[in-house]
Amino acid sequence: MGSQTLQILRQGVWASVTGGWYYDPHQNTFVNALHLYLWLLLLCLPFTLYMALPPTMVIVGMYCGVIAGMFVLLKAVNYRLHTALDEGEVVELRAKGSEGRGQGAECQCEGTGTRQDDSNGISRSISRETGEGECAGEGGSGLYQSEGVQGGRERKGGQSAESLRSLSTRSSGSTESYCSGTDRDTNSTLSSLHSEQTSSTHVESLLSLSGDEKVNAGHADPSNSNVASGEANKNPHANELATKLPTGDAPKPANSEGQQGEGTVEAASRTSVDVSAGLTPHFCPSLRAKANDAQTHGQKDKEKEREKDKEKGKRKAWRRTPSTGSAKSHARVLSLDSSTTACLNDPHHLGAPASSRALTTSKSDLEAKEGEVLDAASLLGRASQIESVTRSRNSLPCPISLSHTQDATTGSRGEHTVMRVCTCTYSLSFSFPQMRLNRLLSMDPELLEQHDVDGSPDLQEAPHRSQDSTHNHTHSQTHPHKTKQYYRLWLLPYLWVGMHFDRLTLLALFDRNREVLENVLSVALAVLVAFLGSVLLVNGFFTDIWVFQFCLVIASCQYSLLKSVQPDSSSPRHGHNRIIAYSRPVYFCLCCGLIWLLHYGSINSSSTAVSLYGVKLTSSILLSQARDLLVVFTLCFPIIFFIGLLPQINTFVMYLLEQLDIHVFGGNACTSLLSALYSVVRSIITIAMLYGFCYGALKDSWDPQHIPVLFSVFCGLLVAVSYHLSRQSSDPSNERLQSDVIVCVVIAVLYFAIHVSTVFIALQPFLSYVLYGLVGAVGLLTHYLLPQMRKQLPWYCFSHPLLKTREYYQFEIRGAAHVMWFERTHVWLLFVEKNILYPLVVLNELSGSAQELASPRKLNTEVGALVITIAGLKLLRSSFSSPTYQYITVLFTVLFFTFDYQQFSETLLLDLFVMSIIFSKLWELFYKLKFVYTYIAPWQITWGSAFHAFAQPFAVPHSAMLFVQAIVSAVFSTPLNPFLGSAIFISSYVRPVRFWEREYNTKRVDHSNTRLASQLDRNPGSDDNNLNSIFYEHLTRSLQHSLCGDLQLGRWGNYSTGDCFILASDYLNALVHLVEIGNGLITFQLRGLEFRGTYCQQREVEAITEGVEEDESCCCCEPGHLPYLLSFNAAFGQRWLAWEVLVTKYALEGYSITDNSAASMLQVFDLRRILTTYYVKGIIYYVIASPKLEEWLANEALLEGLKSCGERNYVDLDPTFNPNIDEDYDHRLAGISRDSFCSVYLNWIQYCNSRREKPLDSEKDSALVLLCYGLCVLGRRALGTASHHMSSNLESFLYGLHALFKGDFRISSVRDEWIFTDMELLRKVVVPGIRMSLKLHQDHFTSPDEYEESSVLFEAISSHEQTLVIAHEGDPAWRSAVLSNSPSLLALRHVLDEGTNEYKIIMLNRRYLSFRVIKVNKECVRGLWAGQQQELVFLRNRNPERGSIQNAKQALRNMINSSCDQPIGYPIYVSPLTTSYCNTHPQLGHILGGPISIANIRNFIVNTWHRLRKGCGAGCNSGGNVEDCDAGGLSCGSGNSGNSGTAASDSQHSSGPTASYLVNICRYFISVFRFNMTLYGYNICLLLDSLIASWHDKVL
């Protein structure tokens, strides 16, 4: 805790104040010193220039020039160094003066090593940071050097271990080590031994050895070594893993210090330790034996090469290609034989044992050493024993790489040995001194994948040994020389310098700018900051100590461009954030620019000031005060960025554009930065188009009794364009122009006609009062009374809804929700309100306010036209899109500015525009205060930790500041979040409505995005959360079709932009966030929670599902309550919640999930026998039903494979067959014979054959029966193979059953290889057979004897095949079936999660599910989300049981925090932003009619004309009506048939055709009227129809 606090203070608090500079104890002195000097230079340079020179523009020029030069130099060098590390050349400088044949042998080995590396691949690793005991001259880059020592000279163990100080590791999700060798026959490279580790693997560095260790080495024949090396590379099994290693003696400890060793040993090791628990211990070094003698062929060429190298200064260079930037670590190795022994000739310098002994490689010895703590000496000693290897067998315990050279002419003294331990992986508990790559390990794996972290993938490209596995070293027998390795940095085409640097140190120095444009932008911003800051300094905006403070702000802005704050307090993600580096300089430039503009305006303000509500907006005093406020704000930059009040710049731009579009242009929320820009540009273009009509109309002369026609045209276009824009999403890809083309033309013509009729002038002021009264009455009924009466607890007084749906009393919903009369009423009231009343109100205010606003005493014509256009567009668009709270704004504005403060009115049009903005902020303030008071109420506070109890008393004096914070945060729409979940609230930075700044959605793991090997071995995605996420995806699809229509029907109550709802059912709990609300569209995002949540989640789910109707308490007693009313305690408690239950029976299409334990269904042998029987019958069914049956029976290759099975006495004696499981098992023959098979299944074969269109021969000796027998035997043998031939064991049987269910068939018998003649037999016969058997086995429990008859079983399989989808949940077909609304699905699930290992049979049935709809305070959701993001990203709280996620029933804290984006929260599914349209809701379309398009109008006209003609013809020919004629009514002559007709009948007969004709004419006009009403916004005739029908239903 203390170290984490210090880290937060350093990297969080201090770095936020300084702009990124802080002392990092994990870096070396050079890095910290450079950072300090750079920051001091940036701080002192402007301050010194200002203090030393007169305040002129000379200071500006000098300062900008110095900053430009410094940033250009630093950025260019940084970019060039990263490029050199990416594609540069690695150079090895060998020591001078080395002579002798050892050098020649070394050259020979060099060629060999290069050749082997070409075949064996690439060795990669991540270099460690320099500065901790590493020598820069040795290239502290992770390129591991060697040291040469005189043969007979003493050397301490600590010196020999100095080359082992650099270790490498990886920080990404998994690491793979490849063991490669050359095949004897194909000379191909093999790869094996994949070792996967998690990102939390800890790797520590081996630092030094203690004491001097000198040993005597044995001798090995160099020629034998060469032969062994050659044979090993030809070994075809060089890479097979040995399960048992040879047994040998353990190494002995080293001898005393005084003993001297001979020869020179140069070693460098790269060691990675896998500390994953539960692994079998195995020793995995990596050895490569080089040629040790100069006796091989090519000796002359090697001598020439040596001379050539000597002339060139003993240098060797090779290019590291970009392909070496793979995310995996590779180790080049050769194989070891299980019976080989390894010994050292001269282990003296490696701290090896005193005597050469065989390497202990037995499995028992290794198991005995499990948990052994190996020090550096022991590790080196064991590595040194593997120098000389004889490879005579074909086994490889682990990857090993060793380079060895030896002088063939000398004995034990003077021998020169070069050994390199490349990779040593040991799955034991190693204890090493120090952790080296903490910062790297703490990086976000997702950022590594997206290349957002500067260390990826280039961290893997850190300096290290690449394609050449062995480096050449020259040794002097008189003086030791170190081999230097570095990167070749090209300055000019023929000029280069050596660079001893590594990637991590470079990243620790400066942030990396990957693109040239980023570097240019950084330099430009640095110069712009310098220019604007120096100009403000020179012009005297700052004096005294504030000069130094301003210089500190400038330095912090410039330094963040070099080394930014990571993570920043406003960073929305873990790891390195490249965008956050530009935030400070951009905000600084914006503030300085605004300061200059305000200063210029205050000096040059005109005498004619523009005033609004008595405030002179252009007065010099107001502008000066605004300028001074910005100056103070700029000086507070360090504190502001530390608190995190300003977001990263792209978030700020999106927020600014969204707020501008919503509050100024009446738009909707935005889904991305591009959509925000698109929406604003679209609104500006609309304003520009309408401005011309308004300006032209205002220029005309206005008669008090007449309005110019051009202004009426402007009003008609304004309404039509506003309607069209309200129906458009902010996403440019969503277009709805088919119906808008016609409707907008009709709307424009209609409202033009209404406005040009001078009704808004002649009927004043009565028309205004009538409109205001209608708006108030309709709004009150639609948005207050009806929603309250439909709530679960109306007004928190009644215990039941006053208006109940038909589903309210249903225990289980059986179909779609029934449309009630009050729902129809709500739809029509909403339609009339937003399409008729509000446009009339706005046009009324436009007519009465336009001339006054354009007058010179208010605004001139140019500004007045602009204000009228913007205000009218905003009011109309917001009324069309979200009319929920518009009636309150209209009523308050009219009452306030008409009766209370009429003198302050700026015309009702402008008053409505301003008050609409103010009311939106007041609603936000109301929700914030309600959330705060609910959260900190003392009688229901839930302390999640000790800090909460400590912070609770401090919330009382914090209350006054809290109220101020709430007002400020409401003005700027910022979340108000509880600090660490406590009762202390702080404001966060501004965010758009969609809140989250990343495009995050769940990626489901299935067979389409995983490798085949992982599917067969590890079964990825087998946890419940991944498998259950598909149900939330289907729920999202269902909401996409019904959500918008249900909202307009009032089933979710009132709603507005940013509202949050929770859908809760038996197992599904999802949070629905409404992001964008338009006219007939809703954009939302669904976040699904875990099925089996935590304890805290379960407590909150209980809180939202339990009822309070039975509560009878009042204070401390229980007097009861009145009928249909809540008790006092229940009513009081419901008012102190941040959520409310709206609906308890909301019907939504989904899947009911039934899971049964497969273990309980297959526990006994009889049940397994039934399953096997159905398995066999399923195979027979599918093979006979296949259309390829005749082709298979005619396949000679297939029949040849089955020939042996056709013999009369053939019996399959495979041990996998079990008499307890196989019904056709022949006890006498101990197997399955053809006779025993036919005795059980021949009748079923013949019945299935009889159901074919063309039955085939199905006698006992027929080819059909032979094929069925072969397939059934193969299928059961595959089941036994998958069960590891342990079918009697339940776990093994379930494992095999699941393997076959997902399609993993292993053909292990030669007798079954005939199946490969046509793989369709497996895919279309055997796999469906095993899957169908599972369903038949389930049906057996409901009716055990039903399937004994062949006909019933055949029909059942046929029916299931048509209506049931049986597939593995990892199969993409499963997801496709769920999303396509298949009626039923079945799967066998293997759950491997948190120690559970169980098999379940999952059955899905599509039906309508019942959900509870809970509306949550949106400010509560935003505040809790913001608090979690700050706590986990900036404060780095990784505690899974932190107090901020403990349950709080009054705020649903755990459920809301669980729904955050991963890794902040842990939802199992997060949908992309999804748009729902009202046209997809069938019930709403039945009420209002379908969309109006040209095709629909044409069809309506044609149908009406046909009905008219048909009706008139029927009326002329008979007395019947249209319906009678359609139904085949009586003819004309049937009315007076016979002689019994009377005068009355004659008169009726004579008047019949005339009456019928008149009726048809009336119906024609009614049809025309209905058609016209449809064009004007849907037929009103259906309203009477629906009201009568609803009243009839209600009466019934």
Side-chain angles (χ1 to χ4, degrees), residues 859-1021:
L859 304 171
N860 51 30
T861 306
E862 291 79 7
V863 179
L866 181 62
V867 170
I868 291 171
T869 305
I870 293 177
L873 182 68
K874 196 264 179 184
L875 294 175
L876 286 171
R877 283 184 68 183
S878 59
S879 300
F880 282 126
S881 298
S882 182
T884 303
Y885 301 111
Q886 296 295 328
Y887 76 99
I888 299 178
T889 305
V890 172
L891 291 181
F892 179 84
T893 304
V894 170
L895 294 175
F896 187 83
F897 288 102
T898 302
F899 301 101
D900 295 334
Y901 296 94
Q902 187 176 6
Q903 66 274 16
F904 293 106
S905 176
E906 298 286 351
T907 71
L908 280 177
L909 178 66
L910 197 56
D911 295 339
L912 283 173
F913 176 78
V914 175
M915 294 306 296
S916 64
I917 301 175
I918 294 176
F919 261 82
S920 66
K921 301 301 179 182
L922 289 177
W923 281 115
E924 194 168 339
L925 176 62
F926 169 74
Y927 289 129
K928 289 181 187 295
L929 293 177
K930 187 176 181 181
F931 162 54
V932 171
Y933 295 146
T934 300
Y935 192 83
I936 65 175
W939 56 87
Q940 59 183 7
I941 190 67
T942 54
W943 293 334
S945 64
F947 174 75
H948 291 179
F950 173 78
Q952 183 73 24
F954 291 92
V956 178
H958 185 66
S959 299
M961 186 63 186
L962 176 60
F963 188 76
V964 175
Q965 281 192 90
I967 295 176
V968 174
S969 61
V971 170
F972 294 102
S973 297
T974 64
L976 197 63
N977 61 282
F979 181 69
L980 298 178
S982 66
I984 298 178
F985 285 79
I986 58 175
S987 296
S988 183
Y989 61 87
V990 295
R991 288 175 174 87
V993 174
R994 62 164 293 181
F995 191 88
W996 298 105
E997 300 159 69
R998 285 197 307 165
E999 293 290 345
Y1000 173 81
N1001 54 77
T1002 306
K1003 297 181 179 63
R1004 187 174 184 266
V1005 178
D1006 57 18
H1007 293 170
S1008 63
N1009 52 25
T1010 54
R1011 299 193 310 174
L1012 179 60
S1014 61
Q1015 297 172 22
L1016 299 179
D1017 297 338
R1018 295 188 300 275
N1019 194 22

Side-chain angles (χ1 to χ4, degrees), residues 242-247 282-283 338 360-363 366 396-398:
T243 57
K244 292 185 178 181
L245 302 179
T247 305
H282 59 280
F283 184 61
S338 59
T360 301
T361 54
S362 68
K363 182 178 179 181
L366 291 177
L396 175 63
C398 48

Side-chain angles (χ1 to χ4, degrees), residues 280 557 887 969 1208 1342 1534 1542:
T280 303
C557 296
Y887 76 99
S969 61
R1208 183 176 184 86
T1342 58
S1534 64
T1542 58

Side-chain angles (χ1 to χ4, degrees), residues 932-1236:
V932 171
Y933 295 146
T934 300
Y935 192 83
I936 65 175
W939 56 87
Q940 59 183 7
I941 190 67
T942 54
W943 293 334
S945 64
F947 174 75
H948 291 179
F950 173 78
Q952 183 73 24
F954 291 92
V956 178
H958 185 66
S959 299
M961 186 63 186
L962 176 60
F963 188 76
V964 175
Q965 281 192 90
I967 295 176
V968 174
S969 61
V971 170
F972 294 102
S973 297
T974 64
L976 197 63
N977 61 282
F979 181 69
L980 298 178
S982 66
I984 298 178
F985 285 79
I986 58 175
S987 296
S988 183
Y989 61 87
V990 295
R991 288 175 174 87
V993 174
R994 62 164 293 181
F995 191 88
W996 298 105
E997 300 159 69
R998 285 197 307 165
E999 293 290 345
Y1000 173 81
N1001 54 77
T1002 306
K1003 297 181 179 63
R1004 187 174 184 266
V1005 178
D1006 57 18
H1007 293 170
S1008 63
N1009 52 25
T1010 54
R1011 299 193 310 174
L1012 179 60
S1014 61
Q1015 297 172 22
L1016 299 179
D1017 297 338
R1018 295 188 300 275
N1019 194 22
S1022 59
D1023 58 294
D1024 269 346
N1025 290 342
N1026 179 70
L1027 298 176
N1028 292 333
S1029 63
I1030 186 64
F1031 303 113
Y1032 286 116
E1033 187 174 2
H1034 180 267
L1035 188 64
T1036 303
R1037 299 289 182 92
S1038 299
L1039 284 174
Q1040 186 178 12
H1041 289 283
S1042 61
L1043 178 60
C1044 185
D1046 287 339
L1047 288 175
Q1048 293 194 18
L1049 286 168
R1051 292 173 178 170
W1052 286 31
N1054 291 331
Y1055 61 95
S1056 60
T1057 301
D1059 280 350
C1060 296
F1061 299 86
I1062 289 180
L1063 296 179
S1065 70
D1066 296 335
Y1067 49 88
L1068 294 173
N1069 296 285
L1071 186 143
V1072 180
H1073 183 205
L1074 304 184
V1075 177
E1076 180 182 8
I1077 296 178
N1079 185 11
L1081 64 90
I1082 298 290
T1083 300
F1084 68 96
Q1085 189 174 39
L1086 183 138
R1087 300 170 177 271
L1089 305 182
E1090 296 175 323
F1091 277 24
R1092 297 178 302 172
T1094 60
Y1095 172 83
C1096 295
Q1097 178 179 329
Q1098 293 302 318
R1099 300 292 76 75
E1100 294 180 355
V1101 170
E1102 292 174 1
I1104 62 178
T1105 55
E1106 65 184 4
V1108 295
E1109 299 84 0
E1110 304 300 328
D1111 190 352
E1112 298 182 352
S1113 56
C1114 177
C1115 295
C1116 300
C1117 54
E1118 294 186 358
H1121 57 81
L1122 297 176
Y1124 303 106
L1125 295 179
L1126 292 175
S1127 65
F1128 176 82
N1129 282 10
F1132 180 81
Q1134 290 297 311
R1135 283 171 167 79
W1136 286 91
L1137 296 176
W1139 50 272
E1140 60 176 337
V1141 179
L1142 299 178
V1143 184
T1144 57
K1145 297 287 185 178
Y1146 174 66
L1148 190 62
E1149 193 175 24
Y1151 282 98
S1152 63
I1153 306 174
T1154 305
D1155 59 336
N1156 298 315
S1157 174
S1160 62
M1161 298 178 66
L1162 297 170
Q1163 183 69 39
V1164 297
F1165 283 117
D1166 290 341
L1167 296 176
R1168 276 178 258 176
R1169 174 182 294 195
I1170 294 171
L1171 177 67
T1172 306
T1173 302
Y1174 285 139
Y1175 178 28
V1176 174
K1177 289 186 176 181
I1179 292 176
I1180 295 172
Y1181 171 86
Y1182 282 106
V1183 70
I1184 296 178
S1186 174
K1188 297 184 65 177
L1189 177 60
E1190 296 180 0
E1191 177 185 343
W1192 290 333
L1193 294 178
N1195 192 330
E1196 295 182 359
L1198 188 148
L1199 294 177
E1200 182 66 24
L1202 290 172
K1203 184 178 181 180
S1204 61
C1205 299
E1207 298 178 358
R1208 183 176 184 86
N1209 297 324
Y1210 177 81
V1211 180
D1212 200 318
L1213 304 176
D1214 196 293
T1216 190
F1217 301 132
N1218 194 318
N1220 296 321
I1221 295 178
D1222 298 298
E1223 189 174 358
D1224 55 348
Y1225 187 85
D1226 193 328
H1227 293 271
R1228 181 176 57 87
L1229 300 176
I1232 296 178
S1233 64
R1234 189 173 177 181
D1235 292 336
S1236 64

Side-chain angles (χ1 to χ4, degrees), residues 158 163 635 1250 1292 1370 1396 1579:
S163 60
L635 290 175
S1250 66
S1292 299
T1396 59
N1579 41 14

Side-chain angles (χ1 to χ4, degrees), residues 612-629:
L612 183 64
Y613 298 104
V615 179
K616 296 182 178 180
L617 300 179
T618 58
S619 65
S620 60
I621 298 177
L622 183 62
L623 296 178
S624 300
Q625 291 176 348
R627 177 201 63 196
D628 296 339
L629 182 63

Side-chain angles (χ1 to χ4, degrees), residues 783-855:
H783 303 294
Y784 183 72
L785 293 178
L786 284 178
Q788 283 290 342
M789 289 188 290
R790 295 177 63 178
K791 283 183 180 180
Q792 177 64 22
L793 304 174
W795 289 283
Y796 298 123
C797 294
F798 298 93
S799 59
H800 298 283
L802 300 180
L803 298 176
K804 300 181 180 67
T805 61
R806 180 172 294 183
E807 296 78 22
Y808 183 79
Y809 293 107
Q810 293 180 0
F811 177 76
E812 183 178 351
I813 295 179
R814 292 179 291 272
H818 184 76
V819 181
M820 306 301 294
W821 67 270
F822 48 82
E823 293 178 342
R824 298 175 184 269
T825 305
H826 183 273
V827 170
W828 282 107
L829 287 175
L830 187 64
F831 172 80
V832 171
E833 180 190 31
K834 69 179 182 180
N835 292 288
I836 298 176
L837 291 181
Y838 284 127
L840 292 177
V841 170
V842 174
L843 291 183
N844 181 54
E845 302 307 328
L846 282 171
S847 303
S849 306
Q851 190 175 9
E852 183 180 356
L853 283 174
S855 62

